[in-house]
């Protein structure tokens, strides 16, 4: 949805509803907004961050859910999702709904619409004409035109009511005196005054149309549908700055409302954080024998748990389990980042194999590297599609790579690759489909370290260009994906931080805490020193 028109209505712009200092809750600046959650200067950040009347999440005891409660929660979730999309997606806009070509809904809709227009044509062709259907159509057009007006457009409102006076038109119909062409001309002229500049060409076509009355009105309704979408998008554009300033509080309020009605709304989120805690508990080294813990395993800090959980989102297995509830509004964006990341990891793995196999003759040739990178990216495009055969695609990649290498080598008076070397290269490239492939493991580990560094750093923008060794071939793409992901993480942290804090406290200080659990002050120290 790339089109996002502005909608001037009779040169009357709604007054800005924004006031006060911009608090910078736009996604692009979300890392600054969340610095309090990772800053070493704030010892109480984990328990007091985002403090407001909504900062302490609450949940009700289990109760029986009625249909009304479920529907209320669904509406809250819908509002939350829409608001979140408007905040994080600067290109978000609405377009007239287009149904699939062969769908049942489209067939039914087309039949109903055809019946309406057939009746209108039949009535207008009668002798004398019947105007019942035409009057209903004009009445609907009048209401649509009135809905486009701003509250202060009284002169145009009065004019529309006078020209499209339904009582008068009904009297004219009784005397066969309805001026359909004149009314159509007025409607089109009024639409031209109200529409966005992007619709001027559509209005021009309507004015110059030589179609019969029915076809003309059919086109009028089509353009009115476009104008309705423009009006909604104009409203979205005006709401977006307000939502960006108040988005964190608004989304937190909405989610708390859902949690109040459905106490199990954090079930998957709790499991997600618990898994991160369990993963860390098995990897953190034990305390020194002469230390205060006397050889017992150290307990991870809250932010260490949360950062590990965020990193898990990057490689989430959507077939195995649903996303945490707090991430559902970003699922589409997360899936796209994951698809791109996996594709460029494969590109990087192939390039590493090529350079380690062929060696010196192709070193320090950036143009060759760029050509191979583009070629591999194109051939692996769509690798996440259900019917995509990765192994066959990699064989095609190998063949193209060998051709490109032989061309480059012979142009510079080097011998072409031997059949044995080409076979070795093909085998190594195709082997990256195996999860335990050493090149694949190396690349995936370094990508994980890169993203973890971004998540842990309070100023991640500084580290976007600092990719680990061996990943320089995909540095631009990695930096772009890193920027997108860290923006989502920081905004998510700002909105749901209090909920995460509550979950982690319950997990770490349950009725049976680990024996080596240090006091909470020590945990805060470890968090703020990350």
């Amino acid at each position: 949805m790339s089109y996002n028109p502005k909608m001037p209505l009779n040169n009357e712009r709604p007054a800005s509803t924004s006031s006060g200092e911009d608090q910078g809750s736009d996604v692009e600046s979300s890392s600054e907004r969340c610095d309090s959650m990772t800053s070493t200067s704030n010892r109480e950040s984990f328990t007091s961050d985002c403090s407001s009347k909504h900062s302490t999440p609450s949940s009700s005891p289990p109760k029986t859910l009625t249909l009304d409660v479920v529907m209320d929660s669904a509406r809250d979730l819908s509002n939350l999702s829409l608001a979140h999309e408007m905040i994080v997606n600067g290109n978000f806009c609405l377009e007239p709904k287009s149904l699939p070509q062969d769908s049942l809904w489209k067939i039914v809709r087309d039949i109903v619409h055809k019946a309406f227009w057939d009746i209108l044509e039949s009535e207008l062709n009668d002798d004398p004409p019947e105007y019942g259907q035409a009057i209903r159509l004009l009445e609907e057009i009048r209401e649509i035109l009135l809905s486009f007006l701003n509250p202060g457009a009284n002169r145009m409102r009065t004019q529309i009511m006078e020209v499209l006076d339904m009582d008068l038109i009904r009297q004219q119909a009784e005397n066969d005196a309805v001026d359909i062409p004149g009314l159509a001309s007025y409607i089109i002229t009024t639409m031209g005054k109200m529409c966005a500049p992007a619709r001027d060409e559509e209005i021009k076509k309507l004015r110059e149309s030589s179609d019969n009355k029915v076809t003309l009105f059919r086109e009028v309704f089509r353009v009115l549908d476009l104008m309705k979408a423009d009006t909604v998008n104009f409203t979205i554009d005006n709401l977006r700055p307000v939502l960006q300033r108040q988005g964190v509080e608004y989304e937190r309020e909405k989610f708390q409302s859902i949690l109040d009605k459905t106490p199990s709304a954090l079930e998957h989120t709790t499991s997600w954080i618990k898994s991160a805690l369990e993963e860390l508990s098995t990897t953190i080294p034990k305390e020194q024998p002469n230390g205060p813990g006397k050889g017992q395993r150290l307990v991870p800090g809250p932010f260490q748990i949360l950062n590990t959980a965020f990193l898990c989102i990057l490689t989430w297995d959507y077939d195995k389990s649903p996303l945490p509830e707090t991430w559902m509004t970003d699922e589409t964006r997360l899936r796209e980042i994951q698809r791109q990341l996996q594709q460029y990891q494969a590109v990087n793995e192939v390039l590493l194999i090529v350079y380690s196999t062929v060696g010196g003759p192709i070193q320090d040739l950036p143009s060759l590297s760029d050509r191979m990178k583009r070629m591999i990216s194109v051939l692996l495009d769509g690798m996440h599609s259900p019917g995509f055969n990765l192994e066959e695609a990699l064989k095609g990649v190998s063949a193209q790579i060998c051709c490109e290498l032989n061309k480059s080598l012979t142009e510079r008076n080097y011998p072409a690759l031997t059949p044995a070397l080409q076979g070795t290269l093909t085998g190594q490239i195709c082997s990256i489909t195996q999860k335990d492939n050493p090149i694949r493991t190396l690349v995936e580990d370094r990508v994980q370290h890169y993203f973890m560094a971004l998540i842990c750093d309070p100023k991640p923008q500084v580290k976007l260009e600092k990719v680990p060794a061996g990943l320089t071939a995909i540095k631009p793409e990695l930096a772009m994906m890193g920027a997108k992901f860290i923006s989502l993480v920081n905004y998510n942290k700002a909105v749901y931080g209090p909920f995460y804090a509550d979950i982690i406290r319950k997990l770490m200080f349950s009725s049976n805490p680990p024996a080596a659990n240090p006091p909470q002050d020590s945990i805060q120290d470890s968090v703020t020193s990350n």
Side-chain angles (χ1 to χ4, degrees), residues 200-460:
D200 288 346
E201 190 62 31
E202 297 281 1
I203 298 298
K204 182 181 177 182
K205 290 178 182 177
L206 290 178
R207 286 198 180 105
E208 297 173 352
S209 173
S210 58
D211 294 329
N212 61 41
K213 301 171 188 175
V214 174
T215 304
L216 178 61
F217 274 110
R218 203 169 190 164
E219 284 300 294
V220 164
F221 265 92
R222 183 184 66 80
V223 177
L224 284 172
D225 281 342
L226 297 176
M227 290 174 62
K228 282 191 275 187
D230 294 346
T231 304
V232 172
N233 291 327
F234 178 73
T235 304
I236 288 173
D237 283 344
N238 281 278
L239 280 176
R240 183 174 284 117
V242 180
L243 280 174
Q244 286 174 341
R245 283 191 292 274
Q246 303 173 2
V248 170
E249 285 296 320
Y250 177 82
E251 290 195 41
R252 194 182 299 152
E253 279 183 29
K254 281 296 175 187
F255 191 80
Q256 182 63 62
S257 174
I258 295 170
L259 190 59
D260 291 340
K261 294 165 187 170
T262 52
S264 62
L266 283 171
E267 180 181 352
H268 296 302
T269 303
T270 302
S271 298
W272 163 57
I273 294 176
K274 184 178 179 182
S275 296
L277 174 59
E278 291 172 349
E279 178 185 335
L280 281 170
S281 298
T282 60
T283 57
I284 287 184
K286 292 183 178 180
E287 187 74 76
Q288 294 296 324
N290 57 354
K294 296 182 180 179
Q296 292 177 327
R297 193 173 295 278
L298 292 173
V299 173
F303 280 107
Q304 195 176 6
I305 297 169
L306 199 53
N307 291 342
T308 301
F310 285 140
L311 190 63
C312 291
I313 291 292
L314 193 64
T315 55
W316 194 264
D317 188 344
Y318 294 90
D319 295 328
K320 186 176 179 181
S321 58
L323 269 174
E325 295 86 353
T326 54
W327 280 101
M328 289 178 64
T329 51
D330 283 314
E331 180 171 350
T332 301
R333 280 172 283 276
L334 290 171
R335 282 178 178 266
E336 181 59 26
I337 291 172
Q338 186 184 88
R339 283 193 290 265
Q340 291 178 354
L341 183 59
Q342 291 176 356
Q343 180 175 343
Y344 280 104
Q345 282 179 172
V347 170
N348 196 87
E349 290 158 15
V350 171
L351 289 174
L352 283 179
I353 291 170
V354 169
Y355 280 97
S356 64
T357 303
V358 180
I362 60 170
Q363 297 293 339
D364 301 321
L365 295 173
S367 59
L368 174 63
S369 177
D370 288 342
R371 286 200 304 275
M372 289 194 294
K373 177 181 170 181
R374 287 195 300 270
M375 181 195 310
I376 300 165
S377 299
V378 169
L379 293 174
L380 294 184
D381 190 36
M383 62 182 286
H384 299 91
S385 303
F388 191 89
N389 189 325
L390 181 57
E391 191 164 346
E392 287 299 317
L394 288 173
K395 288 180 182 178
V397 166
S398 303
Q400 292 294 325
I401 289 286
C402 289
C403 288
E404 189 67 33
L405 289 175
N406 285 332
K407 178 183 175 183
S408 176
L409 289 169
T410 53
E411 285 176 351
R412 291 177 294 111
N413 298 321
Y414 282 98
L417 301 178
T418 64
L421 187 56
Q422 291 186 43
T424 299
L425 190 59
T426 299
Q428 290 184 359
I429 289 174
C430 292
S431 69
I432 66 171
T433 57
Q434 301 167 10
K435 290 188 176 181
D436 59 350
N437 177 274
I439 296 292
R440 174 174 172 173
T441 302
L442 174 71
V443 171
E444 289 177 351
D445 285 349
R446 290 187 179 178
V447 166
Q448 291 278 298
H449 286 136
Y450 171 76
F451 277 93
M452 180 56 88
L454 295 181
I455 293 170
C456 293
D457 199 303
K459 301 289 183 182

Side-chain angles (χ1 to χ4, degrees), residues 18-274:
S18 61
S19 62
E21 182 181 353
D22 191 337
Q23 299 174 21
S25 61
D26 188 5
V27 175
E28 294 302 322
S29 60
S30 59
S31 62
E32 283 80 5
R33 184 180 55 241
C34 302
D35 282 347
S36 61
M37 296 194 73
T38 53
S39 172
T40 58
S41 63
N42 188 352
R43 295 285 178 184
E44 302 298 327
S45 63
F46 185 71
T47 54
S48 63
D49 184 40
C50 306
S51 59
S52 72
K53 64 179 180 179
H54 304 292
S55 287
T56 305
S58 61
S59 58
S60 307
K63 60 183 179 181
T64 303
L65 298 179
T66 64
L67 179 59
D68 288 341
V69 170
V70 172
M71 294 304 294
D72 284 344
S73 296
R75 278 189 290 271
D76 285 338
L77 181 58
S78 177
N79 291 336
L80 174 63
S81 300
L82 181 60
H84 183 78
E85 195 67 30
M86 290 168 62
I87 292 166
V88 304
N89 184 0
N91 295 320
F92 173 72
C93 63
L94 299 180
E95 293 181 349
K97 187 174 182 180
S98 178
L99 296 174
Q101 188 63 33
D102 298 323
S103 68
L104 177 61
W105 286 110
K106 186 177 188 305
I107 294 171
V108 172
R109 187 196 65 180
D110 290 348
I111 291 172
V112 171
H113 284 192
K114 185 176 186 303
F116 175 88
W117 296 112
D118 286 349
I119 292 172
L120 176 64
E121 186 170 22
S122 174
E123 288 185 352
L124 292 178
N125 289 335
D126 281 350
D127 190 15
E130 292 288 334
Y131 292 100
Q133 197 84 328
I135 289 173
R136 284 190 289 274
L137 180 144
L138 291 169
E139 192 166 15
E140 185 173 351
I141 291 175
R142 183 186 71 175
E143 295 308 310
I144 293 173
L145 293 176
L146 291 174
S147 72
F148 291 151
L149 296 175
N150 288 325
N154 296 323
R155 182 182 300 176
M156 181 161 282
R157 188 181 307 275
T158 301
Q159 185 187 78
I160 291 173
M161 294 297 291
E162 287 177 352
V163 176
L164 297 177
D165 183 338
M166 292 301 112
D167 292 335
L168 177 61
I169 291 174
R170 287 188 182 93
Q171 292 176 15
Q172 293 172 342
E174 292 173 359
N175 298 299
D176 191 17
V178 180
D179 183 11
I180 294 292
L183 292 173
S185 177
Y186 171 76
I187 289 168
I188 294 169
T189 300
T190 304
M191 289 168 63
K193 295 176 182 178
M194 293 179 164
C195 72
R199 304 302 176 199
D200 288 346
E201 190 62 31
E202 297 281 1
I203 298 298
K204 182 181 177 182
K205 290 178 182 177
L206 290 178
R207 286 198 180 105
E208 297 173 352
S209 173
S210 58
D211 294 329
N212 61 41
K213 301 171 188 175
V214 174
T215 304
L216 178 61
F217 274 110
R218 203 169 190 164
E219 284 300 294
V220 164
F221 265 92
R222 183 184 66 80
V223 177
L224 284 172
D225 281 342
L226 297 176
M227 290 174 62
K228 282 191 275 187
D230 294 346
T231 304
V232 172
N233 291 327
F234 178 73
T235 304
I236 288 173
D237 283 344
N238 281 278
L239 280 176
R240 183 174 284 117
V242 180
L243 280 174
Q244 286 174 341
R245 283 191 292 274
Q246 303 173 2
V248 170
E249 285 296 320
Y250 177 82
E251 290 195 41
R252 194 182 299 152
E253 279 183 29
K254 281 296 175 187
F255 191 80
Q256 182 63 62
S257 174
I258 295 170
L259 190 59
D260 291 340
K261 294 165 187 170
T262 52
S264 62
L266 283 171
E267 180 181 352
H268 296 302
T269 303
T270 302
S271 298
W272 163 57
I273 294 176
K274 184 178 179 182

